[in-house]
Amino acid sequence: MAFARITAAILGLCLAGLNAAGAETRRLEIVGTGDGIDVLRVIAASFMQQEGSARVEVPPSIGSGGGIAAVGSGKAILGRVARRLTDAEAASGMVYKAIARLPSAFIVHPGCGVSAVTSDQLVAIYSGRLANWKELGGADMRIRVVRREDQDSTLTVLRASMPGWHDLEITEKSKTATTTQEAIETVRDVQGAIGFGPFSRPLEQGLTVLRVDGHYPTDADYPSSVVLALIYLNTLQDPDALAFLRFADTQKAADVITSLGSLPVKP
């Protein structure tokens, strides 16, 4: 609730400033991944409150690849990604600017009655060997697995860092979500559902964020995270985009990132 009040207050101040600026206000879109979208939207709101020169919008996900394609083709000035650029992408003149490290959280529908699991139990859930929450001390309810596509950044990080995930074959009895937002909303709406995605404080509203091996996503010993980064062409001259990139390096932006349960990446 505190997060909602803070966000509402920031957005209210921003909209008041933008209304005063009227037709002179310019629009800047940051397109791409759904990972860290809550974090970036609040950074954008804080920037608008301070600068007031542009209306910064963070639209729904088109994926890291979509953001890279949009920036590379000139359809967007700034993009957002949750993976490193390939050598070819970097050689094309694209710049990668990491801004936040986001823990990879497992979330469940609150009706499951479970708030903590072991890494071995996660493997058993996602392989299909555990099929009912009562086997973990929860409700007598079928476990409904929500996964992401193989190229998803969070799944890639989980396979590289979470014990037992490197060669894990995810059960065929699972729903594949194509965006982070779809995964979150599916878990929110479906009884017995479990999914994963980058952690942010809004996930705690109406969902249960699982402890894994005793560690919460914001704990130092939590094993898995993804990096949210901004991308742009090295020929960038747009003043609003340049101002936003500078703002992303400020302590004010770092405070926003920390308040949402993520870690700022220092320039």
Side-chain angles (χ1 to χ4, degrees):
M1 293 303 292
F3 168 83
R5 289 195 298 270
I6 293 170
T7 303
I10 292 174
L11 290 174
L13 288 169
C14 293
L15 290 174
L18 290 172
N19 289 336
E24 295 181 3
T25 300
R26 297 179 296 274
R27 181 167 167 266
L28 175 66
E29 273 195 338
I30 307 176
V31 302
T33 182
D35 293 2
I37 194 168
D38 294 319
V39 173
L40 197 53
R41 282 175 174 167
V42 181
I43 292 174
S46 185
F47 169 79
M48 289 187 287
Q49 180 190 14
Q50 176 172 299
E51 300 291 333
S53 59
R55 183 182 185 91
V56 181
E57 298 181 0
V58 184
S61 173
I62 57 172
S64 293
I68 291 168
V71 172
S73 66
K75 292 181 179 178
I77 297 172
L78 290 181
R80 57 190 205 260
V81 297
R83 68 163 175 83
R84 298 287 305 190
L85 297 176
T86 65
D87 290 343
E89 290 161 352
S92 72
M94 201 167 293
V95 180
Y96 172 96
K97 177 182 177 63
I99 61 171
R101 186 173 296 278
L102 316 173
S104 305
F106 287 88
I107 52 176
V108 297
H109 188 283
C112 298
V114 171
S115 61
V117 294
T118 67
S119 52
D120 287 342
Q121 287 170 338
L122 281 175
V123 170
I125 288 169
Y126 272 84
S127 67
R129 289 187 286 111
L130 280 176
N132 194 299
W133 288 110
K134 68 179 180 181
E135 300 176 71
L136 298 173
D140 185 2
M141 184 182 297
R142 176 186 167 191
I143 297 175
R144 298 180 182 275
V145 173
V146 181
R147 62 163 295 167
R148 296 295 308 278
E149 297 167 304
D150 289 335
Q151 65 271 25
D152 170 68
S153 53
T154 303
L155 179 55
T156 300
V157 170
L158 287 171
R159 290 199 182 282
S161 59
M162 190 65 74
W165 278 68
H166 184 267
D167 297 315
L168 174 63
E169 292 188 14
I170 298 177
T171 175
E172 294 181 355
K173 296 179 180 180
S174 58
K175 172 182 170 58
T176 299
T178 58
T179 67
T180 300
Q181 284 66 48
E182 182 186 356
I184 293 169
E185 291 309 312
T186 300
V187 175
R188 195 183 303 278
D189 295 340
V190 177
Q191 290 278 343
I194 179 173
F196 54 78
F199 176 79
S200 66
R201 291 293 181 190
L203 288 179
E204 297 170 332
Q205 301 174 14
L207 293 167
T208 299
V209 179
L210 295 179
R211 291 183 175 273
V212 179
D213 294 333
H215 300 298
Y216 200 68
T218 52
D219 292 346
D221 292 334
Y222 195 81
S224 185
S225 63
V226 298
V227 174
L228 173 66
L230 299 172
I231 55 168
Y232 55 95
L233 295 178
N234 58 14
T235 53
L236 177 65
Q237 295 182 348
D238 182 88
D240 297 320
L242 291 170
F244 186 82
L245 290 168
R246 289 192 297 270
F247 181 80
D249 287 335
T250 64
Q251 185 59 48
K252 193 169 184 178
D255 289 343
V256 167
I257 292 167
T258 302
S259 73
L260 296 177
S262 299
L263 297 173
V265 177
K266 295 181 179 180

